[in-house]
């Protein structure tokens, strides 16, 4: 069994669903790196810091105590001791996390934390730059993606399930914008690592994807 499993890919590709399930099956630690950028973005919004103010954003990232804990089978995120699991999924935080994560000084604060969490091994991480930058030595790298329409549909349904107001066209536009920003930024842009396995999940069920990912983790 692989020791460090890195799953990268664009928004809505199903990374967190798959990473979480796989981690649970293997009794590995699941590290949601996007949640860390979301927590910084949430703090910035709360503090009224402009998303263009790289200096202040870096300060927030440096001062943020972000903890991830598995409680009652749920991955909970804490920011400076306060649980923010639900708040960081709000659409305005999703939108803010993209410019925040593009700030190199913010990434410089987050990447060492991610490496530290992964150092003990038996981990599944998901993000955008795990296989390329954070842990290029990961022994299993997967690039998970799906068509834009399918990813938008999945996110839309997820929001509805949570009882949050959602508009499919808006969700699609938001994902498209994030895709563009995540792949075109200068600092660690989203791209497939050369040694990552490309997995297009369009039209596949969660169980079908999980089956493929499980096989790669066991290979
Ligand atoms: O995976 P997510 O939607 O929770 O990620 C939130 C934002 O953080 C998204 O815009 C991409 C960014 N991100 C990143 O730049 N690097 C990572 N390792 C994880 C997420």
């Amino acid at each position: 069994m692989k020791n460090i499993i890195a799953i990268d890919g664009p928004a809505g590709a199903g990374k967190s669903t798959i990473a979480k399930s796989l981690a649970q099956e293997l009794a590995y630690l699941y590290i949601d790196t996007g949640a860390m950028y979301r927590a910084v973005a949430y703090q910035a919004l709360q503090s009224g810091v402009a998303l263009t103010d790289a200096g202040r954003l870096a300060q927030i990232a440096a001062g943020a105590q972000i903890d991830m804990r598995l409680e009652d089978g749920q991955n909970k995120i804490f920011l400076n001791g306060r649980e923010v699991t639900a708040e960081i999924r709000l659409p305005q935080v999703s939108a803010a996390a993209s410019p925040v994560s593009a700030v190199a000084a913010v990434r410089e604060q987050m990447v060492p934390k991610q490496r530290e969490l992964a150092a003990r091994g038996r981990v599944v991480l998901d993000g955008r730059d795990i296989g390329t930058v954070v842990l290029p030595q990961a022994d299993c790298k997967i690039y998970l993606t799906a068509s834009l329409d399918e990813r938008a549909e999945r996110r839309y349904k997820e929001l509805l399930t949570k009882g949050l107001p959602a508009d499919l066209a808006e969700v699609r536009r938001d994902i498209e914008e994030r895709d563009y920003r995540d792949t075109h930024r200068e600092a660690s842009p989203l791209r497939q690592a050369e040694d990552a396995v490309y997995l297009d999940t369009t039209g596949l069920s969660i169980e079908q994807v999980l089956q493929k990912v499980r096989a790669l983790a066991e290979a």
Side-chain angles (χ1 to χ4, degrees):
M1 188 61 66
K2 309 290 190 198
N3 194 34
I4 296 180
I5 301 163
I7 304 180
D8 290 305
K15 299 184 301 294
S16 64
T17 305
I18 297 301
K20 221 180 288 174
S21 302
L22 184 68
Q24 203 166 16
E25 275 182 23
L26 303 176
Y28 275 29
L29 175 69
Y30 166 52
I31 305 171
D32 176 358
T33 64
M36 298 171 80
Y37 294 101
R38 286 171 179 269
V40 175
Y42 174 72
Q43 180 70 63
L45 292 177
Q46 288 290 99
S47 316
V49 169
L51 301 176
T52 46
D53 190 340
R56 293 284 307 279
L57 292 175
Q59 267 175 6
I60 288 178
Q65 173 68 44
I66 302 168
D67 293 312
M68 290 184 215
R69 286 203 293 272
L70 187 66
E71 282 179 11
D72 314 322
Q74 234 211 323
N75 281 284
K76 297 191 174 169
I77 315 293
F78 296 82
L79 174 64
N80 301 325
R82 188 168 87 77
E83 195 191 343
V84 292
T85 314
E87 288 88 336
I88 62 164
R89 300 289 155 199
L90 293 171
Q92 60 269 36
V93 181
S94 302
S98 186
V100 165
S101 68
V103 175
V106 168
R107 306 195 74 83
E108 277 163 27
Q109 298 293 333
M110 296 297 122
V111 170
K113 291 185 198 211
Q114 293 160 7
R115 288 185 181 140
E116 208 177 291
L117 284 168
R120 64 185 106 163
R122 298 174 61 86
V123 287
V124 183
L125 299 94
D126 76 9
R128 302 293 188 287
D129 60 340
I130 309 303
T132 52
V133 176
V134 181
L135 298 161
Q137 80 281 17
D139 44 12
C140 177
K141 297 184 190 180
I142 298 164
Y143 189 85
L144 208 65
T145 189
S147 71
L148 174 63
D149 282 335
E150 177 138 346
R151 291 186 288 122
E153 188 91 22
R154 288 178 189 169
R155 267 289 145 89
Y156 172 69
K157 285 186 183 153
E158 194 183 323
L159 289 168
L160 291 186
T161 307
K162 285 182 185 164
L164 293 166
D167 175 76
L168 181 58
E170 203 177 296
V171 171
R172 190 183 189 280
R173 213 165 32 240
D174 178 58
I175 290 188
E176 202 171 14
E177 251 176 56
R178 286 214 281 153
D179 280 357
Y180 184 85
R181 221 176 298 126
D182 293 345
T183 50
H184 287 77
R185 69 183 180 213
E186 217 166 290
S188 309
L190 167 65
R191 63 177 179 82
Q192 185 186 346
E194 266 169 33
D195 51 351
V197 175
Y198 181 89
L199 201 56
D200 186 341
T201 71
T202 309
L204 297 183
S205 68
I206 293 173
E207 188 41 52
Q208 285 171 320
V209 179
L210 201 50
Q211 227 169 43
K212 289 178 188 283
V213 169
R214 201 183 286 130
L216 291 169
E218 285 169 356

